[in-house]
Amino acid sequence: MRALVYHGSGQRSWDEVPDPVLADEFDAIVGIDAVTICGTDLHILKGDVPEVTPGRILGHEAVGTVEAVGSAVRSVQPGDRVLISCINGCGTCPPCREGRYGQCRRGGGWVLGHLIDGVQAEYARVPFADLSLYKLAPTISDEAAVMLADILPTSYEVGVLAGGVRPGDSVVVVGAGPIGLAAVMTARLYSPSHIIVVDLVPRRLDAAKTLGADIVIRNGPDGEDPVSLVRDLTGGLGADVAIEAVGVPETFELCTDLVAAGGHVANVGVHGRAATLHLESLWIKDVTITTGLVDTSSTARLLQLVAGHQLDPSVLVTQTFPLDQMMTAYDVFADAAESGALKVVCTK
Amino acid sequence: MRALVYHGSGQRSWDEVPDPVLADEFDAIVGIDAVTICGTDLHILKGDVPEVTPGRILGHEAVGTVEAVGSAVRSVQPGDRVLISCINGCGTCPPCREGRYGQCRRGGGWVLGHLIDGVQAEYARVPFADLSLYKLAPTISDEAAVMLADILPTSYEVGVLAGGVRPGDSVVVVGAGPIGLAAVMTARLYSPSHIIVVDLVPRRLDAAKTLGADIVIRNGPDGEDPVSLVRDLTGGLGADVAIEAVGVPETFELCTDLVAAGGHVANVGVHGRAATLHLESLWIKDVTITTGLVDTSSTARLLQLVAGHQLDPSVLVTQTFPLDQMMTAYDVFADAAESGALKVVCTK
Amino acid sequence: MRALVYHGSGQRSWDEVPDPVLADEFDAIVGIDAVTICGTDLHILKGDVPEVTPGRILGHEAVGTVEAVGSAVRSVQPGDRVLISCINGCGTCPPCREGRYGQCRRGGGWVLGHLIDGVQAEYARVPFADLSLYKLAPTISDEAAVMLADILPTSYEVGVLAGGVRPGDSVVVVGAGPIGLAAVMTARLYSPSHIIVVDLVPRRLDAAKTLGADIVIRNGPDGEDPVSLVRDLTGGLGADVAIEAVGVPETFELCTDLVAAGGHVANVGVHGRAATLHLESLWIKDVTITTGLVDTSSTARLLQLVAGHQLDPSVLVTQTFPLDQMMTAYDVFADAAESGALKVVCTK
Amino acid sequence: MRALVYHGSGQRSWDEVPDPVLADEFDAIVGIDAVTICGTDLHILKGDVPEVTPGRILGHEAVGTVEAVGSAVRSVQPGDRVLISCINGCGTCPPCREGRYGQCRRGGGWVLGHLIDGVQAEYARVPFADLSLYKLAPTISDEAAVMLADILPTSYEVGVLAGGVRPGDSVVVVGAGPIGLAAVMTARLYSPSHIIVVDLVPRRLDAAKTLGADIVIRNGPDGEDPVSLVRDLTGGLGADVAIEAVGVPETFELCTDLVAAGGHVANVGVHGRAATLHLESLWIKDVTITTGLVDTSSTARLLQLVAGHQLDPSVLVTQTFPLDQMMTAYDVFADAAESGALKVVCTK
């Protein structure tokens, strides 16, 4: 089969590789119908994720058709159209028993396109199929479904639910990339009074408005001052919930400035460097700060909301390509500043 | 009357000052029977709390007898023996309606010995008496009760409750001063499997053991390594809850090293400097970090536990003095390294 | 002034009575601008609420203008346009400290038009004004605001919040009177997948559809079977949340039949008779049943949602009358079957 | 092998039957080392549980040694000493993903000695071994461990956790049989102020006192009045949490009388008849009522507390017999009034 293979820092190619085979009785082999690229894949390509070794097939977000299942798989069978979750859970270790599949201690967690071969390929081996594959209703499009492999559950669980968004809250989302925009979409499920989005890029702020942001703030050197604007909008109090969706120290620190006393900072961004935590002002503020990897414990619920037309994540897809143009798709996604790409999907 | 007055950085004296009078219909005047000194009072004396201006009577932890009440006071009357809480709440502003009296926006919060005259005196004016004074059962001693003015609710609310301690948890308390020891006492109410206490000073660790710590770790240059010890004790996982009870960046950062994936860091310490938050490792760990000023919303419940002999906070009192030896009491408390002082109480 | 006075079972008149005066320093006198009638007022008129004695002015839902305040009132002043909440809270007794104002032990709870004179009058005395009056933004109409005196917080707190409605849930509301319809409106704030409404009256079901019900079921002798319909709609599981909004044993028992294993029955209805609880089938079903009087702890948040156009409760108002036609308004409200009345508002 | 076989209403015998064999790759075969009898087994023998058909081996509470495991079992292997939980969970169906194994929809839940052969035998087949078996530390005795098969997690999860017991609460447990006594033991983990136990039998009340009850009340025709006593003990308020541990309408209704406004009734008892729910008084009381089958999601945590000597459930064992005297053990357990039996254990 063909697959997108990582060959070391800066090196990727669309290679002929052996087909995957069942390696464990909990495995499934899935033929890929639609797959997308994550910002994390770009980090891997920069060499920032040392656990990913050359020769690894990348990708952890896909929709496909089950080809074969191991003998212990009970919930899917060949022919089923399924969502492949970015997180695999064994279901029996202590964190999995609490639904924290992202912290699985028996070979699950984020492994696809990371510790084992991923889904940017014609076929993929998916471990722990019962807890990682979701049968799709025919009314859900591939484009919508593939957004639920990672970014919607991530923004919902690690941003909206961990942040404890409630009706009437003021919510600020820092970062209007795909994760931040998905946070806007899923925060709306809780009817906050205001969703305020902060980003450097006007085009992304326009997208945020389209998806339901009430107020957008362009920050940056010649931009607006989010702290004073949010303070004005909230009677001087700050935001009830600040969702960090970038992953650099500056945006995290901005969130701790934007949050009200008694509020929540929900960190969703993937960070490579330490941030400064201003405990000299925060110690007295009754602030809750949360971090986390997605568990995809909300996936079934989100699929139901998509099926009921309460969420339409397909609007995050800006470009589509045939699967064998994966290399071009990467180019377009990597050059988002020019291409305006949010999520790029390759379909069979 | 006589009172302990702050006269600027490093300067305090036991002065003759005017008696306090009712200034508001929600006020009470309380004759002080027992009063203690807080680490925060020492910070004020160093000049670290600029809102405290020369001439201020210090102190926010006392037990006394009501002398007079304003016309709107309903729950206490002259002659009642009462605990004076360190926090005053108006009861009607938005945070007070949620029981977050520490964040009161109408003149409450921590004001005694801070923004208004305090309780290290023969008499004190207490605002919002209905929400700040607690009638004391005769079976509760002054020494026990005065520990509930600040340190027990602080350690319980900001440490144990915010940290979400549950039966069977591993709890680490960093810092075995009065607040840390009170955290040990109140964490035990939830039957954790292990309470581990980390401090530099052997005498404080001995006190921790006496109060219920299961394991004590002396850290510091020639000390033990808390991270590896806690890891060993928890099967490599780390502590479910790490309570910071010191207030310097190093101990906060230690807590973020000690906590398990999925765990809580509850910051109780008062900080004067920023800490480093290692988001490059924490972003994926499902960690919750909380900060907060005490609300004293748990005071009634803690009093009930003292009355029922389930808590005996009087053991934290290491020295007592007559009220007019307040200056000596300060010397002894400030020289804890030599005197071994935990809490020093002055009684009428 | 003129007021609607209860004169014993079945007897009411629009009488000349003395103007109310400040009786306590926490009181306010409010000139009534708009007032509505509650189903509970009809119960009182039937003689079902023995604590209401002849001579009592009825009514607990109004909007008005502050005329005078007691000396301890801080948050409102003469001239302020305010919502009068149906619940008064002292703010300092144990339940009030937890925001459970409905259970106030010092003279609050539901007292207006019940234990003291109410608001169906030209003027009313409101106890504990700081916790019972809410200043109104000019953009909020009287009709919208008066719905927040009782029915919106009741349906939201006792139905939606106690029931724990979450995005993606199946919610069934039994009873499409004003409270049930308000439950539909406020349940939508949490984006459930389905809101199913059950009632006997087609016109009320039409109203439910207009307000956001996804599915309506007409039950009754010649009607549909809600249990089998809800089962079909939920894959055989039942509803995640069943909200009882009628107040008779049959509808409560229906809710316990409709709820899924692991689900919630939130009783909002006011009951006069015992119901049968089928523990022989429920003991194993992981069901949570809640009851409660409203606390109006959500009023500020609901007002914010109305101001932000996320809720428009004025649609529940079906008829308006001048204040001095209160007797006619009662007739119309009492004859809802004929008049189609949901909420009837009298304005100055 | 030999096993205790149900032969229809009132009929049981200790029979020679075929050894169990692995039927599924998730199964384990366990050699029984210690087994106990549940009140439910007596119900079955009365013919009250129609799903149990003649020929069924009874029993769902045992400790044993793994003999063989199916190919998909990962967490235990032959030779491991294990606790057999009374609940089996598939781990992948929707309720199992939320840790609600008692509601498993794929063949789990309570099946042992109910829908499939049980553990009152020399060997047993245990489905879903990874989620149903717990390796035992050598320091935990068989007698202590076997109490964690059912009664401790049942009383803890369905009573103490569902009831939301907090430090300082007043807790009343109605019924001092094994489940009620286990509720006393596990409620103590949360340091309530008072644990009050109500039962008809003085001997059981003595046991309750030994295990930590603060106050015991003998009710019944010539007994004391629990309602007035609990009211006196709680300043007229009632209990914060009332745990029903009998399973008849009268005791459930007593719990709803004993509970305070704002309190919880946690039903643990297995009921065969409907109860009367006095909504005419409860509707206004802010009461939460919960029911549920145990999930055994707390088993690992309880085992840790036993290992740490914070719980010693072996004190509930009043008689032990060799395994081949199972018939006698049933006689003794069934005649608890005479024998004083709480839990009877048969060991290999």
Side-chain angles (χ1 to χ4, degrees):
Chain A
M1 69 168 188
R2 308 285 281 185
L4 194 288
V5 181
Y6 170 68
H7 292 292
S9 184
Q11 310 275 98
R12 60 174 154 84
S13 53
W14 181 246
D15 294 351
E16 184 69 32
V17 297
D19 281 8
V21 293
L22 295 170
D24 185 292
E25 50 211 330
F26 296 97
D27 283 351
I29 302 296
V30 181
I32 302 303
D33 295 327
V35 60
T36 181
I37 308 168
C38 184
T40 305
D41 296 325
L42 301 183
H43 281 293
I44 293 171
L45 278 166
K46 283 190 197 141
D48 287 351
V49 187
E51 311 90 69
V52 182
T53 49
R56 175 71 66 237
I57 298 171
L58 298 185
H60 52 266
E61 302 171 90
V63 163
T65 304
V66 176
E67 294 281 321
V69 297
S71 64
V73 174
R74 292 289 181 272
S75 59
V76 293
Q77 48 187 331
D80 284 345
R81 180 170 165 256
V82 293
L83 167 66
I84 304 173
S85 176
C86 69
I87 296 292
N88 304 93
C90 79
T92 62
C93 73
C96 279
R97 287 180 190 219
E98 298 178 359
R100 300 195 293 113
Y101 307 118
Q103 309 290 336
C104 176
R105 295 184 197 148
R106 283 197 191 130
W110 172 40
V111 295
L112 288 169
H114 179 212
L115 307 180
I116 65 171
D117 282 335
V119 298
Q120 289 166 358
E122 290 179 302
Y123 297 93
R125 179 178 73 86
V126 179
F128 303 120
D130 276 335
L131 275 161
S132 311
L133 299 179
Y134 294 82
K135 274 198 253 190
L136 289 171
T139 57
I140 302 182
S141 71
D142 283 359
E143 280 76 10
V146 77
M147 298 297 107
L148 271 68
D150 179 345
I151 67 169
L152 258 82
T154 293
S155 61
Y156 185 57
E157 296 172 15
V158 188
V160 175
L161 294 181
V165 175
R166 295 186 300 168
D169 274 355
S170 292
V171 177
V172 62
V173 177
V174 177
I179 287 284
L181 295 172
V184 172
M185 294 178 70
T186 53
R188 285 177 64 84
L189 295 169
Y190 281 93
S191 306
S193 276
H194 305 288
I195 301 180
I196 305 154
V197 177
V198 180
D199 200 297
L200 301 164
V201 181
R203 181 155 49 180
R204 296 201 154 190
L205 293 171
D206 291 343
K209 265 193 174 163
T210 307
L211 292 173
D214 300 290
I215 296 137
V216 297
I217 300 174
R218 189 174 65 82
N219 66 341
D222 63 336
E224 302 168 294
D225 175 16
V227 173
S228 66
L229 286 170
V230 168
R231 212 161 280 168
D232 290 350
L233 284 163
T234 56
L237 298 174
D240 296 301
V241 184
I243 298 178
E244 203 283 346
V246 178
V248 298
E250 294 74 19
T251 47
F252 178 83
E253 292 158 20
L254 176 59
C255 285
T256 63
D257 280 347
L258 291 170
V259 74
H264 291 246
V265 174
N267 183 78
V268 188
V270 175
H271 290 260
R273 286 180 289 137
T276 299
L277 189 68
H278 287 287
L279 283 174
E280 74 280 18
S281 56
L282 291 170
W283 77 266
I284 203 172
K285 265 184 80 175
D286 287 12
V287 168
T288 300
I289 299 169
T290 51
T291 71
L293 182 66
V294 66
D295 294 313
T296 64
S297 54
S298 68
T299 305
R301 199 167 278 267
L302 292 170
L303 279 170
Q304 197 172 353
L305 290 162
V306 173
H309 307 292
Q310 290 169 285
L311 278 179
D312 179 9
S314 68
V315 297
L316 295 167
V317 180
T318 45
Q319 286 95 352
T320 58
F321 295 91
L323 189 55
D324 60 9
Q325 291 184 27
M326 179 68 77
M327 290 295 285
T328 307
Y330 259 87
D331 293 340
V332 167
F333 182 65
D335 190 24
E338 188 63 28
S339 66
L342 290 171
K343 290 296 277 187
V344 171
V345 171
C346 293
T347 56
K348 189 180 160 185
Chain B
M1 70 169 186
R2 308 283 282 184
L4 194 289
V5 181
Y6 171 69
H7 292 292
S9 185
Q11 310 276 98
R12 59 174 154 84
S13 52
W14 181 246
D15 293 352
E16 185 67 32
V17 298
D19 281 8
V21 293
L22 294 171
D24 184 293
E25 50 210 329
F26 296 98
D27 283 351
I29 302 297
V30 182
I32 303 301
D33 295 325
V35 60
T36 181
I37 309 167
C38 184
T40 305
D41 297 324
L42 302 183
H43 280 294
I44 293 171
L45 279 167
K46 284 190 197 139
D48 287 351
V49 186
E51 310 91 69
V52 182
T53 49
R56 175 71 66 238
I57 298 172
L58 299 184
H60 52 267
E61 303 171 271
V63 163
T65 304
V66 176
E67 294 282 322
V69 296
S71 65
V73 173
R74 292 290 181 270
S75 59
V76 294
Q77 49 188 330
D80 284 345
R81 179 170 165 257
V82 293
L83 167 66
I84 305 173
S85 176
C86 69
I87 296 292
N88 304 92
C90 78
T92 63
C93 73
C96 279
R97 287 179 191 221
E98 299 179 358
R100 298 195 294 113
Y101 307 118
Q103 308 290 334
C104 177
R105 295 184 198 148
R106 284 199 190 127
W110 171 41
V111 294
L112 287 169
H114 179 211
L115 307 180
I116 67 171
D117 282 335
V119 298
Q120 290 166 359
E122 290 179 301
Y123 296 93
R125 179 178 73 86
V126 180
F128 303 120
D130 276 336
L131 275 160
S132 311
L133 298 179
Y134 294 83
K135 273 198 254 192
L136 288 171
T139 56
I140 301 182
S141 71
D142 282 0
E143 280 77 8
V146 77
M147 298 296 108
L148 271 66
D150 179 344
I151 67 168
L152 257 81
T154 294
S155 61
Y156 185 56
E157 295 171 17
V158 189
V160 175
L161 294 181
V165 175
R166 294 186 301 168
D169 273 355
S170 292
V171 177
V172 61
V173 178
V174 176
I179 288 283
L181 295 172
V184 171
M185 292 178 72
T186 54
R188 285 177 63 85
L189 296 169
Y190 281 93
S191 306
S193 276
H194 306 287
I195 301 180
I196 304 154
V197 177
V198 180
D199 200 298
L200 300 164
V201 181
R203 182 156 49 181
R204 297 200 153 191
L205 293 172
D206 290 345
K209 264 192 174 162
T210 306
L211 292 173
D214 300 290
I215 296 138
V216 297
I217 299 175
R218 189 173 65 80
N219 66 341
D222 63 336
E224 301 168 296
D225 175 16
V227 174
S228 66
L229 285 170
V230 169
R231 211 161 280 168
D232 289 352
L233 284 163
T234 55
L237 298 174
D240 297 299
V241 184
I243 298 177
E244 204 282 344
V246 178
V248 298
E250 294 73 18
T251 47
F252 178 82
E253 293 159 19
L254 176 58
C255 284
T256 63
D257 280 347
L258 291 169
V259 74
H264 293 245
V265 173
N267 184 78
V268 189
V270 175
H271 290 261
R273 286 179 289 136
T276 300
L277 189 68
H278 287 287
L279 283 174
E280 73 279 16
S281 56
L282 290 169
W283 76 266
I284 202 171
K285 265 185 79 176
D286 287 12
V287 167
T288 300
I289 298 169
T290 52
T291 71
L293 182 66
V294 65
D295 295 312
T296 64
S297 55
S298 69
T299 304
R301 199 169 276 267
L302 292 169
L303 279 169
Q304 196 173 353
L305 290 163
V306 173
H309 308 292
Q310 290 169 285
L311 278 178
D312 180 10
S314 68
V315 297
L316 294 167
V317 180
T318 46
Q319 285 95 353
T320 58
F321 294 91
L323 189 55
D324 60 8
Q325 292 183 26
M326 177 69 75
M327 290 295 283
T328 307
Y330 259 88
D331 294 340
V332 166
F333 182 65
D335 190 23
E338 187 64 28
S339 67
L342 289 171
K343 290 297 277 185
V344 171
V345 171
C346 295
T347 57
K348 190 179 160 185
Chain C
M1 69 168 185
R2 308 284 282 181
L4 193 289
V5 181
Y6 171 70
H7 291 292
S9 185
Q11 309 277 97
R12 59 175 154 84
S13 52
W14 181 246
D15 294 352
E16 184 69 31
V17 297
D19 282 6
V21 293
L22 294 171
D24 185 292
E25 51 211 328
F26 296 98
D27 282 352
I29 302 297
V30 181
I32 303 301
D33 296 325
V35 61
T36 183
I37 309 167
C38 184
T40 306
D41 296 324
L42 302 183
H43 281 292
I44 293 170
L45 279 166
K46 284 191 197 137
D48 288 350
V49 187
E51 310 92 68
V52 182
T53 49
R56 176 69 67 237
I57 299 172
L58 299 185
H60 52 267
E61 303 171 90
V63 163
T65 303
V66 176
E67 294 282 321
V69 296
S71 64
V73 173
R74 292 290 181 269
S75 59
V76 293
Q77 50 188 329
D80 284 344
R81 179 169 166 258
V82 294
L83 167 67
I84 304 173
S85 176
C86 70
I87 296 293
N88 303 94
C90 78
T92 63
C93 73
C96 279
R97 287 180 191 220
E98 300 178 357
R100 300 194 293 112
Y101 307 118
Q103 308 290 336
C104 177
R105 295 184 197 147
R106 284 199 190 128
W110 171 41
V111 294
L112 288 168
H114 179 211
L115 307 181
I116 66 172
D117 281 335
V119 299
Q120 290 166 359
E122 291 179 302
Y123 297 93
R125 179 179 72 85
V126 179
F128 303 120
D130 276 336
L131 275 160
S132 311
L133 299 179
Y134 294 83
K135 274 197 252 189
L136 288 171
T139 56
I140 301 182
S141 72
D142 282 0
E143 281 77 10
V146 78
M147 299 297 108
L148 272 66
D150 179 345
I151 66 169
L152 257 80
T154 294
S155 61
Y156 185 56
E157 296 171 15
V158 189
V160 175
L161 294 181
V165 175
R166 295 186 300 167
D169 273 356
S170 292
V171 177
V172 62
V173 177
V174 176
I179 288 283
L181 294 172
V184 172
M185 292 178 70
T186 53
R188 285 177 64 84
L189 297 169
Y190 281 93
S191 305
S193 275
H194 305 287
I195 301 180
I196 304 153
V197 177
V198 180
D199 201 296
L200 300 164
V201 181
R203 183 158 47 183
R204 296 200 155 191
L205 293 172
D206 291 344
K209 264 193 175 163
T210 306
L211 293 174
D214 300 290
I215 296 138
V216 297
I217 300 175
R218 188 174 65 82
N219 65 341
D222 63 336
E224 302 168 295
D225 175 16
V227 173
S228 67
L229 285 170
V230 168
R231 211 161 280 168
D232 289 352
L233 283 163
T234 56
L237 298 174
D240 297 300
V241 184
I243 297 178
E244 204 282 344
V246 179
V248 299
E250 294 73 19
T251 48
F252 178 82
E253 293 159 20
L254 176 58
C255 285
T256 63
D257 280 347
L258 290 169
V259 74
H264 292 246
V265 173
N267 184 79
V268 189
V270 175
H271 290 260
R273 287 180 290 137
T276 301
L277 189 69
H278 288 287
L279 284 174
E280 73 279 17
S281 56
L282 290 169
W283 75 267
I284 202 171
K285 265 185 79 175
D286 287 12
V287 167
T288 300
I289 298 168
T290 51
T291 71
L293 182 66
V294 66
D295 295 312
T296 63
S297 56
S298 69
T299 305
R301 199 169 278 267
L302 292 170
L303 279 170
Q304 196 172 353
L305 290 163
V306 173
H309 309 292
Q310 290 170 286
L311 279 178
D312 180 10
S314 68
V315 298
L316 295 166
V317 180
T318 46
Q319 284 95 352
T320 57
F321 295 91
L323 190 55
D324 60 9
Q325 293 184 27
M326 178 69 75
M327 290 296 284
T328 309
Y330 259 87
D331 294 339
V332 167
F333 183 64
D335 190 23
E338 188 64 29
S339 67
L342 289 171
K343 289 297 276 186
V344 170
V345 171
C346 295
T347 56
K348 191 179 161 184
Chain D
M1 68 168 187
R2 309 284 283 185
L4 193 290
V5 181
Y6 171 68
H7 291 292
S9 185
Q11 310 276 97
R12 60 174 153 84
S13 53
W14 181 246
D15 294 352
E16 184 68 32
V17 297
D19 282 7
V21 293
L22 295 171
D24 184 293
E25 50 211 329
F26 296 97
D27 283 352
I29 302 298
V30 181
I32 302 303
D33 295 326
V35 60
T36 182
I37 308 168
C38 184
T40 306
D41 296 325
L42 302 182
H43 280 293
I44 292 171
L45 279 166
K46 285 189 198 141
D48 287 352
V49 187
E51 311 90 70
V52 182
T53 49
R56 176 71 66 237
I57 299 171
L58 298 184
H60 53 265
E61 303 172 89
V63 163
T65 303
V66 176
E67 294 281 321
V69 296
S71 64
V73 174
R74 292 288 180 273
S75 59
V76 294
Q77 50 187 330
D80 285 345
R81 179 169 165 257
V82 293
L83 167 66
I84 303 173
S85 176
C86 69
I87 296 293
N88 303 94
C90 79
T92 63
C93 73
C96 279
R97 286 180 192 220
E98 298 178 358
R100 300 195 293 113
Y101 307 118
Q103 308 290 336
C104 177
R105 296 185 197 146
R106 285 198 189 127
W110 172 39
V111 295
L112 287 169
H114 179 211
L115 307 180
I116 65 171
D117 282 334
V119 299
Q120 290 166 358
E122 291 179 302
Y123 297 93
R125 179 178 73 85
V126 179
F128 302 121
D130 277 335
L131 275 161
S132 311
L133 298 180
Y134 294 83
K135 274 198 254 191
L136 289 171
T139 55
I140 302 181
S141 71
D142 282 359
E143 280 76 9
V146 78
M147 298 297 107
L148 272 68
D150 179 345
I151 67 169
L152 257 82
T154 293
S155 60
Y156 185 57
E157 295 171 16
V158 188
V160 175
L161 294 181
V165 176
R166 294 186 300 166
D169 274 354
S170 292
V171 177
V172 63
V173 178
V174 176
I179 287 284
L181 295 172
V184 172
M185 292 178 71
T186 54
R188 285 177 63 83
L189 296 169
Y190 281 93
S191 306
S193 275
H194 304 288
I195 301 180
I196 304 153
V197 177
V198 180
D199 200 297
L200 301 164
V201 182
R203 183 157 48 182
R204 295 200 156 191
L205 293 172
D206 291 343
K209 264 193 175 162
T210 306
L211 292 173
D214 299 290
I215 296 137
V216 298
I217 299 174
R218 189 173 65 82
N219 66 340
D222 63 337
E224 303 169 294
D225 174 16
V227 174
S228 67
L229 286 170
V230 168
R231 212 161 280 169
D232 290 351
L233 284 163
T234 56
L237 298 173
D240 297 299
V241 183
I243 297 178
E244 203 282 346
V246 179
V248 299
E250 294 73 18
T251 47
F252 178 83
E253 292 158 19
L254 176 58
C255 285
T256 63
D257 280 347
L258 292 169
V259 74
H264 291 246
V265 173
N267 183 79
V268 189
V270 175
H271 290 260
R273 286 179 290 137
T276 300
L277 189 68
H278 288 286
L279 283 174
E280 74 279 18
S281 55
L282 291 170
W283 76 267
I284 202 172
K285 265 185 79 175
D286 288 12
V287 167
T288 300
I289 299 169
T290 51
T291 71
L293 182 66
V294 65
D295 294 313
T296 63
S297 55
S298 68
T299 305
R301 199 168 278 266
L302 291 170
L303 279 170
Q304 197 172 352
L305 290 162
V306 173
H309 308 292
Q310 290 170 286
L311 279 178
D312 180 10
S314 67
V315 297
L316 296 167
V317 179
T318 44
Q319 286 94 352
T320 58
F321 295 90
L323 189 55
D324 60 10
Q325 293 184 25
M326 178 69 75
M327 291 296 284
T328 308
Y330 258 87
D331 293 339
V332 167
F333 182 65
D335 189 24
E338 187 63 28
S339 67
L342 290 170
K343 289 296 275 187
V344 170
V345 171
C346 294
T347 55
K348 190 180 160 183

